[in-house]
Amino acid sequence: MEDEPEAPGTETRRSTRSRAQVKSADFTRIDQIELEEEREESSEDFEEPRRKAKRYKTTEGASTSGAAARKSNQSLIETIKGDGKEIPDVVKRWVERYERTQKPALAELLTVLFEACGAKYHLQEESIDETDVDDVVVSLVNMARRGEVEDYQSSKRGFKNFKDNLLYFLDNLVSECQNGPLFDQSLFDKCLDYIIALSCTPPRAYRLIASLMGLQLVTSFINVAKMLGAQRETTQRQLNAEKKKDTEGPRVESLTKRLSMTHEKINTMEEMMRKIFTGLFVHRYRDIDPDIRLSCIESLGLWVLSYPSLFLQDLYLKYLGWTLNDKSAGVRKASVLALQNLYEVDDNVPSLNLFTERFYKRMLELADDNDISVSVCAIGLVKQLLRHQLVPDEELGPLYDLLIDDPPDVRHAIGGLVYDHLIAQKFNDSQSRSTGSDSDSSEVHINRMLQILKEFSADPILSSYVIDDVWDYMGAMKDWKCIIHMLLEDNPLAELNDVDSTNLIRLLSASIKKAVGEKIVPATDNRNPHHTKAQKEMFESNRRAITTAMMKTYPQLLRKFMSEKDKVAPLFEIIVHMNLELYSLKRQEQNFKAILQLMREAFFKHGEKDALRSCIKAVKFCATDSRGELQDFAQNQVKELQDELINKLISAIKDVVNGGDEYSLLVNLKRLYELQLKHNIPLESLYQDFVHIIQRFRNIDDEVVGFLLLNMFLHVSWCMRLVVFSETVSEASISTLLQKRDALLEQLEYFLYNPFKLNGDGRCRNQLAYRVCGIIADTWFLFRKSQFALTKLEILGYSPDESTVDKYWKLCEQLLNLSEDEDGNREYVEETTGDAVMFALTKLVATDSVQKEYLAPQIFSHLEMYDTSIGETVKHMLTALRKKGDISSLLLEALKMAHQRYLEVVSSGNDELLSNKSFQECKDLATRLSGSYVGAARNKYRSEILNIVKEGINYAFSDAPIQLSFLDCVLLHFVSKLPATDILEIMREVERRTENVMTDEDPSGWRPYYTFLNTLREKHVKNEGVKESKFSCIHGILSLLLDLISEGKEGTSVRRRGRPRKQETLQGKRLFAEQSSSDEDDSISGSDHDARIDEEKEVEDEEEMPLIHSIRAASSKLRSLRVTKEDKRDQRKPVEFGRTEESTTPKTSGAASS
């Protein structure tokens, strides 16, 4: 294979993904081909002259309607622009005219080709043979330069219809000419010359239409060549049969001559295909226009597939390999689809060995393409490579990583590959497959799936991703009975190990969720899925099937795996997706009761979050979704579970009071916490016990204290909910609620006023501090005064005093400065992070639960110290506050706080490094806060910016020169957002403040003042300079205008001035040899004669123009003069010659050559 040429561009990794559709067009006349084959096979004698088809002659008279007459008089281009129904008849009539008089018909056809490109150019019939192709093309390009070309692409729908009709016209033309004009060495040779020449011109419209026509002609030639090939095979068989009868004779001679002529026709067709390929395709497949490149690759894929005898060789296949690196996703996708179709045909694979060896690694890389549609198609191509065993297994490792990739389409495509290759093993012929029942086959597939899940057993979320990817392809996942049988297997030889049984239970739970329409992986959006009626019916059918399969075996599964915490949580989740009514209909009440009793037993066996939440969710589902007697039984079980839990808590508290172990109290507090998250539990007697434990045992474990406070808060929340939503509220209930709230706040404030001894090595040892911060924020938010103002429950409103808020901020500040703990698998980790602390602070500020004038500036002033996720939370808080009103005072206070910290560092010692760091932090904070005033926000919030600057100046001069560093450290970033008039006013205000001040006494102290003032002056001078330059430009234009007018009054001599005339020296033959630069619609540099005439007209018209119009015209003329000079310089540049046609594409073609 040849080395790959420099591609237009390659994008492999994901960024912005765009989806491109690929559609191949093939206008074959199958019916006619079949009739021709039957006629050739049944014929006895070979007739040399072509058999003319019958033509329907229209007679003038009453039988011809006016509409039919108008259609028959339509030109070829009008027929193509129409609905296309008359194209076959029009082509037949044109072929008849061509057979009578060739030159007029040929001129008409070439005119149609030009008009299809949008140019109305007519050739003279008499001189059509002597006309040079390049001269005609140069004229056409000049027409495009002058804008005399019709744009068919202004409407996408209209262009598609026009393009389809044009290609249909060409296909019919080739088909009608296959028995004569196609091989006359004149008609199509002339057409191909013009099409190839137009495809290499700078105007994009010419290149696009000419490329489409050339590509379609190859497709049509292939159809004819295939038909001739079938005829050649038939003739060869007949000749072989005749030679067996008689080696000589008229019949043998006739068949031999016929075979030779058919072979010559095929060679002629292939020569025309090669001519188009070398003259058009090898340039346009690298065109700058992705649509042209896309058409080339789509066509090449079709050619190789439909005519492999010519195109299935490395000479042509390499272009499909090279365009796998194209910068356009649509082109890459077209190349991948073309290759996928090739590999689907087993007979093509031997011819693709060298190509595969050269490009298979790039095919694997495209599975992780930046465009989702390309990735999905590339994965399908990899499947074909695996089917033919063309890719070593060790190369597939990166593909399997895509099982946990973000785009669902890519994940599911990889899931299909994993199923075919590793689970079903469709690509391994030597693999012995199970020949037993469906259950045996399912068991084999499940065991192979378990081997894959072993790689992800440490992370249940990743296991869910893998299951979600493969679920659509693996029917064994829906074989509930087989999975349950494997889990309940008692045979030691067949019993699963602990890891496999855990993964199989996860697989069972996830598969059941998928079967009933639930998501098992995080969704890419928050929209609720919409299911059709048929889907809902299917989900309900699956629900019934799952219930029937597990009705008797579900209790057995719970008994076997009840004590294993990793398995019990997914097992509990299964019943939520079952149809509980079937237990009554099928008389399985005992199994239902057994399930509830086992759940209750498991609830008190486990103390882990996942197990407890799954169990509570399952019990609540049974108590609400069951019917009749079973529902009563379930509700009683819930009541008994609550009573038993309260009894266990009372017993655990007594043990702690008596000096016993705290573990039992901790576990039961966790159970109570998880239960209170879903259900209100009366804790009237226990609430005071919780307060007593916290007050009396200050040295108790922090985790125990944290869960005591959490349960107290949840109980207070439930009590407040009952009061708020009750129709009649008694004073006793309000009083009780206030007592409980005050008791909770008292315990929380104790920890505020008695600082924690925080550990700096992570959050794991500081859980209580995180808990206290979160609970305080939730309590203040729950009882905020704004919620109860002007209501009957106004007494419930609460607002902390400033000292308490200050203590609370100090604790939060300490936690935000702690390093993060890497133990991500710890329970309740999401509730004890810096993000949780910042979320609590943001909630208090945004809802006015506390006075934001203190807390908000504190948060903003530390913005540079936060990590990315916490900083995003602060950013959202700032946006929310801005929607409520002016926040300039909050931002200014934050900047002052940051500056005061810098001054404290400066005054504390001689540590210059620390002071520089503090100064930079203050500067970065000002940069970030001022960055919120960008674009249109500068004008919208101009008053806020002015307020920050003016009050900041007051602050800086309130203790000058000590605080003057605030000017250049902070205020300069905000001043730059103001208009020039405000900058001038601020500069004058600052200068007035130092009129009677001796700044020379402390030069270093007043240096920030001078820096600030000089910067303002520079900005002001710069703005004034811009205004002066604009005025100078207008003044120069006006002067030029007056000179032109005065010169025009002197006579006609003005028209002999200016640029000399430039003769048109462009030769058509140079058009395709030189490397002139062009983008999409670049035109050839021609004569300036027309431009000069336009100049003269403009000078004449300027005398009558209004002054402002004259200025604009003169300005335009200056720009045109400058451009013309640049063009002249470009024309003096040398031209490159001698590059090979195949490796280099002329820039005039618009191809991306870099």
PDB file of all heavy atoms in Angstrom, residues 24 101 191 207 362 466 634 693 727 861 877 931 939 1152:
ATOM      1  N   SER A  24     -26.663   6.201  -0.029  1.00  0.00           N
ATOM      2  CA  SER A  24     -26.125   5.895  -1.342  1.00  0.00           C
ATOM      3  C   SER A  24     -27.243   5.851  -2.355  1.00  0.00           C
ATOM      4  O   SER A  24     -28.311   5.331  -2.088  1.00  0.00           O
ATOM      5  CB  SER A  24     -25.387   4.556  -1.310  1.00  0.00           C
ATOM      6  OG  SER A  24     -26.261   3.533  -0.924  1.00  0.00           O
ATOM      7  N   THR A 101     -28.899  13.835 -36.032  1.00  0.00           N
ATOM      8  CA  THR A 101     -27.932  14.931 -36.196  1.00  0.00           C
ATOM      9  C   THR A 101     -27.133  15.057 -34.911  1.00  0.00           C
ATOM     10  O   THR A 101     -27.655  15.489 -33.882  1.00  0.00           O
ATOM     11  CB  THR A 101     -28.656  16.257 -36.485  1.00  0.00           C
ATOM     12  OG1 THR A 101     -29.617  16.495 -35.467  1.00  0.00           O
ATOM     13  CG2 THR A 101     -29.351  16.201 -37.837  1.00  0.00           C
ATOM     14  N   CYS A 191     -18.314  14.761 -23.214  1.00  0.00           N
ATOM     15  CA  CYS A 191     -18.965  15.085 -21.926  1.00  0.00           C
ATOM     16  C   CYS A 191     -18.001  14.923 -20.760  1.00  0.00           C
ATOM     17  O   CYS A 191     -17.948  15.762 -19.850  1.00  0.00           O
ATOM     18  CB  CYS A 191     -20.186  14.196 -21.727  1.00  0.00           C
ATOM     19  SG  CYS A 191     -21.551  14.539 -22.856  1.00  0.00           S
ATOM     20  N   ARG A 207     -17.671  22.715  -8.951  1.00  0.00           N
ATOM     21  CA  ARG A 207     -17.028  21.482  -8.480  1.00  0.00           C
ATOM     22  C   ARG A 207     -18.048  20.498  -7.943  1.00  0.00           C
ATOM     23  O   ARG A 207     -17.960  19.293  -8.191  1.00  0.00           O
ATOM     24  CB  ARG A 207     -16.004  21.801  -7.378  1.00  0.00           C
ATOM     25  CG  ARG A 207     -14.867  22.685  -7.809  1.00  0.00           C
ATOM     26  CD  ARG A 207     -13.677  22.577  -6.862  1.00  0.00           C
ATOM     27  NE  ARG A 207     -14.039  22.587  -5.461  1.00  0.00           N
ATOM     28  CZ  ARG A 207     -14.225  23.671  -4.724  1.00  0.00           C
ATOM     29  NH1 ARG A 207     -14.107  24.870  -5.286  1.00  0.00           N
ATOM     30  NH2 ARG A 207     -14.532  23.589  -3.448  1.00  0.00           N
ATOM     31  N   ARG A 362      -6.263   1.872  12.693  1.00  0.00           N
ATOM     32  CA  ARG A 362      -7.061   3.098  12.597  1.00  0.00           C
ATOM     33  C   ARG A 362      -8.543   2.775  12.758  1.00  0.00           C
ATOM     34  O   ARG A 362      -9.290   3.567  13.361  1.00  0.00           O
ATOM     35  CB  ARG A 362      -6.796   3.774  11.247  1.00  0.00           C
ATOM     36  CG  ARG A 362      -7.635   5.017  11.005  1.00  0.00           C
ATOM     37  CD  ARG A 362      -7.453   6.046  12.091  1.00  0.00           C
ATOM     38  NE  ARG A 362      -8.338   7.186  11.931  1.00  0.00           N
ATOM     39  CZ  ARG A 362      -8.656   8.027  12.888  1.00  0.00           C
ATOM     40  NH1 ARG A 362      -8.166   7.859  14.106  1.00  0.00           N
ATOM     41  NH2 ARG A 362      -9.464   9.050  12.654  1.00  0.00           N
ATOM     42  N   VAL A 466     -21.957  -2.240  32.758  1.00  0.00           N
ATOM     43  CA  VAL A 466     -21.709  -3.394  31.890  1.00  0.00           C
ATOM     44  C   VAL A 466     -23.004  -4.153  31.630  1.00  0.00           C
ATOM     45  O   VAL A 466     -23.300  -4.548  30.495  1.00  0.00           O
ATOM     46  CB  VAL A 466     -20.642  -4.305  32.517  1.00  0.00           C
ATOM     47  CG1 VAL A 466     -20.414  -5.534  31.648  1.00  0.00           C
ATOM     48  CG2 VAL A 466     -19.338  -3.546  32.701  1.00  0.00           C
ATOM     49  N   ALA A 634     -49.057  -6.528  56.193  1.00  0.00           N
ATOM     50  CA  ALA A 634     -47.843  -5.756  55.965  1.00  0.00           C
ATOM     51  C   ALA A 634     -47.789  -4.525  56.864  1.00  0.00           C
ATOM     52  O   ALA A 634     -46.730  -4.186  57.416  1.00  0.00           O
ATOM     53  CB  ALA A 634     -47.770  -5.341  54.493  1.00  0.00           C
ATOM     54  N   ILE A 693     -28.393  11.977  76.942  1.00  0.00           N
ATOM     55  CA  ILE A 693     -27.157  11.272  76.585  1.00  0.00           C
ATOM     56  C   ILE A 693     -26.099  12.267  76.118  1.00  0.00           C
ATOM     57  O   ILE A 693     -24.924  12.196  76.511  1.00  0.00           O
ATOM     58  CB  ILE A 693     -27.445  10.225  75.489  1.00  0.00           C
ATOM     59  CG1 ILE A 693     -28.252   9.058  76.060  1.00  0.00           C
ATOM     60  CG2 ILE A 693     -26.153   9.714  74.850  1.00  0.00           C
ATOM     61  CD1 ILE A 693     -27.490   8.212  77.033  1.00  0.00           C
ATOM     62  N   GLU A 727     -55.091  21.207  60.345  1.00  0.00           N
ATOM     63  CA  GLU A 727     -56.182  22.167  60.194  1.00  0.00           C
ATOM     64  C   GLU A 727     -56.360  23.009  61.449  1.00  0.00           C
ATOM     65  O   GLU A 727     -56.629  24.206  61.375  1.00  0.00           O
ATOM     66  CB  GLU A 727     -57.468  21.427  59.852  1.00  0.00           C
ATOM     67  CG  GLU A 727     -57.423  20.727  58.490  1.00  0.00           C
ATOM     68  CD  GLU A 727     -58.729  20.034  58.175  1.00  0.00           C
ATOM     69  OE1 GLU A 727     -59.652  20.086  59.040  1.00  0.00           O
ATOM     70  OE2 GLU A 727     -58.853  19.441  57.083  1.00  0.00           O
ATOM     71  N   SER A 861     -14.937  36.168  49.854  1.00  0.00           N
ATOM     72  CA  SER A 861     -13.550  36.580  50.071  1.00  0.00           C
ATOM     73  C   SER A 861     -12.581  35.405  50.049  1.00  0.00           C
ATOM     74  O   SER A 861     -11.382  35.596  49.858  1.00  0.00           O
ATOM     75  CB  SER A 861     -13.429  37.310  51.419  1.00  0.00           C
ATOM     76  OG  SER A 861     -13.661  36.421  52.497  1.00  0.00           O
ATOM     77  N   MET A 877     -24.408  30.704  43.707  1.00  0.00           N
ATOM     78  CA  MET A 877     -24.950  31.557  44.764  1.00  0.00           C
ATOM     79  C   MET A 877     -24.875  33.019  44.354  1.00  0.00           C
ATOM     80  O   MET A 877     -25.814  33.798  44.568  1.00  0.00           O
ATOM     81  CB  MET A 877     -24.189  31.334  46.070  1.00  0.00           C
ATOM     82  CG  MET A 877     -24.732  32.145  47.241  1.00  0.00           C
ATOM     83  SD  MET A 877     -23.759  32.003  48.743  1.00  0.00           S
ATOM     84  CE  MET A 877     -22.346  32.994  48.311  1.00  0.00           C
ATOM     85  N   GLY A 931     -14.714  39.566  36.669  1.00  0.00           N
ATOM     86  CA  GLY A 931     -15.025  38.794  35.474  1.00  0.00           C
ATOM     87  C   GLY A 931     -16.494  38.511  35.294  1.00  0.00           C
ATOM     88  O   GLY A 931     -16.926  38.103  34.208  1.00  0.00           O
ATOM     89  N   ASN A 939     -22.786  47.232  30.757  1.00  0.00           N
ATOM     90  CA  ASN A 939     -23.782  48.300  30.715  1.00  0.00           C
ATOM     91  C   ASN A 939     -24.933  48.032  31.671  1.00  0.00           C
ATOM     92  O   ASN A 939     -25.454  48.945  32.306  1.00  0.00           O
ATOM     93  CB  ASN A 939     -24.309  48.454  29.285  1.00  0.00           C
ATOM     94  CG  ASN A 939     -23.224  48.889  28.325  1.00  0.00           C
ATOM     95  OD1 ASN A 939     -22.318  49.624  28.707  1.00  0.00           O
ATOM     96  ND2 ASN A 939     -23.299  48.418  27.091  1.00  0.00           N
ATOM     97  N   ALA A1152      -8.245  20.642   0.414  1.00  0.00           N
ATOM     98  CA  ALA A1152      -7.436  20.938   1.598  1.00  0.00           C
ATOM     99  C   ALA A1152      -6.100  20.271   1.433  1.00  0.00           C
ATOM    100  O   ALA A1152      -5.946  19.089   1.620  1.00  0.00           O
ATOM    101  CB  ALA A1152      -8.153  20.446   2.841  1.00  0.00           C
TER     102      ALA A1152
END
